[in-house]
Amino acid sequence: MATLQQVNSSPRWPTVATPSLLPNVAGSPTQRAQLQVGDECLCTVDGCVYVCAVATLGAAVWSAKVRAAPNEVIVRSEACLPAPVAGVITLAANTIYSVFGIVTLTAGNRIVSPATTLVRGRLALLDQIVGNVNGPLVSYVDAVSTGTFDLRNLGLQNTDTGASSTVLAVNAPNGTLRVDQCRVVGGLHGLAFTACTSAALLSTAFTAANGGDALRVSGTVVAFVADLSSFQTSGANGNGISILAGATVTTLTILQTGFVLLAATSVGIRKDPAATVTTAYVTRAVPFGVGTLNAGWDQGTLGWTVQA
């Protein structure tokens, strides 16, 4: 039998797995006449506390108890985001978007964000943005700002397999990208840089699909660091990190990072002969699988410092 507890002056019902199991909801096995408006119940699937608005047996109504901070948008579905224009959902600057659960975008829709925006979840396996677009699922585009686009504790997945599909694209010549404890999966390529002043990839897993690169640089990145992260390929010709012809990276830092290489032709860090990397620090970069760690550079390359 359900036992009530007193939490912050409100009766708290025993935790349930999904909202469909909340007390007195139609079809829920828990039907109790004792339920009252204002009672609370924690739901583990989304981590939210629900508050009873209607207590009727078999017809109860509950609402999630989430308090948004100033300039914060709670995102539970695509409808919570700005309305798309020609398939583009443009996020607002100086705003926090807090994602709860799996948010699936309409096929073909994509997200574009300026700097000074934070998109966050609570856990990358729990809170995700999923889309299907032959292009970037999320783009950080800002030609002027020196601010930061911040992704934290969030999963991003592009299920499209087209030649132009990526998960995250960055074109912010003066901006900073921070990706912390995230999971970036799918598309032909995971993360694609055109331009960025600084990028920090922290405790994040990047997985390419269909033979693409987990991370690729085609333009100018002044500095980027990957720490406690992983880069995984899924097929022939895909690389963990590809620095393409014509690309310029001033400082590349790889620390305690793994490369999961599932094809013999895959390379952990591939530098094209026509690319420029001024200084590189590679420490404890560990290859797994059947590929090799490096191509286009070695421990003797000028400007590269490599430690086991």
Side-chain angles (χ1 to χ4, degrees):
M1 180 175 178
T3 302
L4 295 180
Q5 295 178 317
Q6 201 75 12
V7 179
N8 296 329
S9 301
S10 297
R12 172 72 60 85
W13 288 76
T15 298
V16 297
T18 66
S20 64
L21 298 176
L22 289 165
N24 290 10
V25 169
S28 170
T30 303
Q31 301 290 327
R32 299 286 185 270
Q34 298 97 325
L35 180 67
Q36 297 182 19
V37 172
D39 286 3
E40 297 182 349
C41 187
L42 175 65
C43 183
T44 57
V45 72
D46 58 10
C48 288
V49 173
Y50 283 76
V51 181
C52 181
V54 176
T56 306
L57 286 164
V61 176
W62 296 75
S63 60
K65 182 181 179 181
V66 179
R67 293 187 178 91
N71 298 324
E72 181 181 18
V73 177
I74 304 300
V75 181
R76 295 186 180 279
S77 69
E78 184 180 29
C80 302
L81 296 168
V85 176
V88 177
I89 299 168
T90 303
L91 302 185
N94 303 308
T95 302
I96 299 170
Y97 291 89
S98 295
V99 177
F100 288 81
I102 297 176
V103 174
T104 302
L105 304 185
T106 301
N109 282 358
R110 59 191 181 93
I111 293 173
V112 175
S113 178
T116 66
T117 299
L118 165 63
V119 184
R120 66 184 181 186
R122 296 153 300 165
L123 182 66
L125 292 175
L126 184 67
D127 302 317
Q128 303 177 41
I129 296 176
V130 179
N132 185 289
V133 57
N134 189 17
L137 175 66
V138 177
S139 298
Y140 167 31
V141 179
D142 199 315
V144 178
S145 176
T146 58
T148 299
F149 177 50
D150 209 332
L151 293 166
R152 301 182 193 175
N153 306 310
L154 186 67
L156 296 174
Q157 182 176 8
N158 188 353
T159 60
D160 193 276
T161 59
S164 299
S165 60
T166 59
V167 182
L168 177 60
V170 179
N171 188 2
N174 303 303
T176 296
L177 172 72
R178 180 184 175 92
V179 184
D180 192 352
Q181 300 188 62
C182 292
R183 182 171 174 265
V184 178
V185 179
L188 182 61
H189 307 296
L191 169 57
F193 283 103
T194 299
C196 189
T197 293
S198 175
L201 314 177
L202 310 174
S203 302
T204 293
F206 297 87
T207 302
N210 311 310
D213 301 322
L215 183 153
R216 59 168 32 199
V217 181
S218 60
T220 300
V221 178
V222 177
F224 82 75
V225 57
D227 189 7
L228 290 171
S229 293
S230 66
F231 299 89
Q232 178 172 327
T233 65
S234 64
N237 303 318
N239 304 298
I241 297 175
S242 281
I243 304 171
L244 305 180
T248 299
V249 178
T250 303
T251 304
L252 167 67
T253 304
I254 307 294
L255 306 171
Q256 304 178 88
T257 288
F259 294 87
V260 183
L261 309 171
L262 302 183
T265 53
S266 294
V267 175
I269 307 172
R270 181 187 293 275
K271 175 188 170 295
D272 188 276
T276 300
V277 178
T278 305
T279 305
Y281 304 95
V282 182
T283 302
R284 295 179 182 174
V286 183
F288 300 92
V290 296
T292 57
L293 176 62
N294 57 301
W297 63 275
D298 58 29
Q299 288 87 339
T301 300
L302 184 65
W304 291 67
T305 300
V306 182
Q307 296 179 347

